[in-house]
Amino acid sequence: MKKQEVIICRNLSEDLSQAISNNPHDKLFLLVDEHTSTLCKPLIDNLPCMQGAIEIKIGAEDVHKTLETLAYVWKSLSDQGATRHSLMINLGGGMVTDLGGFAASTFKRGISYINIPTTLLAMVDASVGGKTGINFNGLKNEIGVFSPAESVLIDAEFLKSLDSANLLSGYAEMLKHGLISTTAHWAELLNFDMNRIDYKALQALVAQSVQIKENIVEQDPFEKGIRKALNLGHTVGHAFESLALETNRPVLHGYAVAWGMVCELYFSHLKVGFPKDKLRQTIQFIKEHYGVMTFDCKQYDRLYEFMTHDKKNNAGIINFTLLGEIGDIRINQSATKEEIFEMLDFYREAMGC
Ligand code: GLY
């Protein structure tokens, strides 16, 4: 898989203009959703490099990450004369960059695209690393391809219109990148003041975070080995997310991942010796910032069932990524049902629920 160019913007106008001119094209398309059309498009709309861009607007949020929306984007491209030499810019959160990346990668067997992520989650995770796709048949990201953007432009200016829950959701993936990299970066993340955000400092942390993901994706673009490090917190996190959805109290992805990390760091401590003090400090940070998802022991079986259906599993064995230390990544770890139930007991006790 080719490497995409990640640009940490100093001047969005100049950086975007450069990225567009690096990709000669006949027509320029701009994919936005209902939110980014009003909140984010004004930041790029009047730039000379965007003159003549044809806008395609789709519904916002995960509920629109569907085959129908994808077909609408394909049809819009087709009706408005897109060719194999056209260029698409995806301006939005992970839904827009995932679906837009998939639409571009499949239209006429693939046209070039640029991502401009507008949420923290998309900046540090979804828009980088080449995973594109849509939800299908009730399953998240069931259909898609690995196909990197030509460029990803990251500008913390967009984060100023983001609410604090969505900022924290993205920050959980940054915390994950801290845990799988170095103690210094992890400590920096725990000490950053999320209540009074210094956006310049946040952009610097985002740059480090993206670099960590980039390094891993470069070693293993198709997730055969070390890319599974990026799944830390996600085996339990996805189960929490599914349970929350099923019980009509949906949670943001990053919140579920944060709570999932509490569980998987506990396993890390138990099984491969992750230090107790770092476990305690990380749990403290998560409790303070993300609160707690409550459930009782009658729901353990359902959570276990969700874990058994995770697409990361192999031969029916639930797959975990654990840590022996910060940065000491142990992929392909497993656990018994009893251990998983004990882990859920630990979570409830540690989080006070
Ligand atoms: N979101 C994890 C990955 O890109 O592999």
Side-chain angles (χ1 to χ4, degrees):
M1 190 163 75
K2 75 176 186 316
K3 192 173 182 307
Q4 71 214 331
E5 175 194 36
V6 179
I7 300 160
I8 307 296
C9 295
R10 285 171 189 276
N11 179 320
L12 182 62
S13 166
E14 283 172 16
D15 294 325
L16 180 57
S17 159
Q18 185 64 53
I20 290 176
S21 62
N22 288 346
N23 289 283
H25 54 276
D26 52 6
K27 286 190 176 182
L28 182 62
F29 290 84
L30 174 65
L31 182 70
V32 290
D33 69 22
E34 288 155 349
H35 298 330
T36 59
S37 166
T38 50
L39 291 171
C40 306
K41 197 177 67 166
L43 268 75
I44 62 168
D45 219 12
N46 293 321
L47 303 179
C49 61
M50 292 302 293
Q51 295 319 301
I54 301 165
E55 181 180 325
I56 302 174
K57 194 189 327 183
I58 57 177
E61 320 269 334
D62 213 56
V63 45
H64 289 107
K65 198 174 174 182
T66 60
L67 192 55
E68 289 71 33
T69 310
L70 177 68
Y72 172 77
V73 176
W74 281 331
K75 185 163 177 4
S76 305
L77 288 168
S78 183
D79 287 350
Q80 300 191 77
T83 74
R84 200 179 242 184
H85 308 289
S86 298
L87 177 65
M88 189 150 98
I89 297 177
N90 300 318
L91 178 70
M95 194 285 262
V96 170
T97 60
D98 276 11
L99 186 143
F102 187 44
S105 306
T106 45
F107 184 78
K108 291 191 190 286
R109 297 205 178 91
I111 64 172
S112 299
Y113 73 96
I114 291 172
N115 280 340
I116 309 181
T118 57
T119 64
L120 189 54
L121 192 67
M123 287 181 191
V124 298
D125 194 17
S127 73
V128 184
K131 284 186 180 175
T132 70
I134 55 163
N135 303 334
F136 184 70
N137 203 22
L139 298 164
K140 278 174 75 87
N141 302 323
E142 180 73 345
I143 310 289
V145 290
F146 284 99
S147 169
E150 297 300 324
S151 307
V152 182
L153 279 84
I154 293 177
D155 191 337
E157 195 60 32
F158 288 110
L159 300 179
K160 292 183 179 164
S161 61
L162 206 62
D163 58 82
S164 83
N166 274 289
L167 275 170
L168 280 166
S169 181
Y171 203 76
E173 296 285 358
M174 292 172 67
L175 189 56
K176 177 195 78 182
H177 290 161
L179 285 160
I180 62 173
S181 60
T182 63
T183 302
H185 186 49
W186 165 81
E188 212 175 357
L189 289 164
L190 290 197
N191 291 322
F192 185 74
D193 189 350
M194 283 301 282
N195 298 317
R196 273 181 304 276
I197 294 178
D198 171 347
Y199 284 91
K200 212 164 158 218
L202 180 60
Q203 173 138 322
L205 286 177
V206 167
Q208 283 186 67
S209 207
V210 171
Q211 190 57 55
I212 292 161
K213 177 160 183 182
E214 278 272 280
N215 288 345
I216 287 176
V217 171
E218 211 176 333
Q219 293 171 57
D220 176 25
F222 300 111
E223 201 170 309
K224 303 281 184 227
I226 194 63
R227 186 166 180 165
K228 293 181 188 174
L230 300 172
N231 295 335
L232 176 70
H234 283 65
T235 301
V236 182
H238 282 154
F240 283 162
E241 218 175 345
S242 302
L243 182 71
L245 199 63
E246 192 174 69
T247 51
N248 291 323
R249 35 175 198 157
V251 294
L252 292 171
H253 175 71
Y255 279 64
V257 169
W259 298 322
M261 285 193 291
V262 170
C263 294
E264 295 181 22
L265 287 180
Y266 166 71
F267 260 173
S268 296
H269 171 64
L270 201 70
K271 287 171 167 286
V272 291
F274 185 78
K276 205 170 186 172
D277 58 328
K278 289 173 180 150
L279 171 68
R280 193 185 47 74
Q281 286 177 71
T282 311
I283 292 177
Q284 185 54 33
F285 181 89
I286 291 173
K287 218 165 137 177
E288 234 171 68
H289 291 82
Y290 296 86
V292 60
M293 170 165 160
T294 55
F295 54 87
D296 61 36
C297 54
K298 291 196 272 315
Q299 290 166 304
Y300 285 13
D301 274 311
R302 189 68 183 128
L303 283 166
Y304 180 74
E305 223 174 291
F306 283 128
M307 287 179 224
T308 60
H309 289 130
D310 196 299
K311 63 171 168 276
K312 298 185 292 296
N313 296 341
N314 198 349
I317 296 171
I318 300 174
N319 191 293
F320 293 93
T321 293
L322 303 181
L323 298 176
E325 231 306 350
I326 289 177
D328 175 11
I329 299 155
R330 313 284 181 90
I331 60 168
N332 296 332
Q333 303 289 315
S334 59
T336 63
K337 187 172 180 180
E338 288 67 37
E339 286 172 327
I340 288 172
F341 279 24
E342 193 208 311
M343 171 194 75
L344 294 172
D345 282 342
F346 170 83
Y347 169 90
R348 287 176 57 220
E349 197 179 316
M351 302 295 277
C353 65

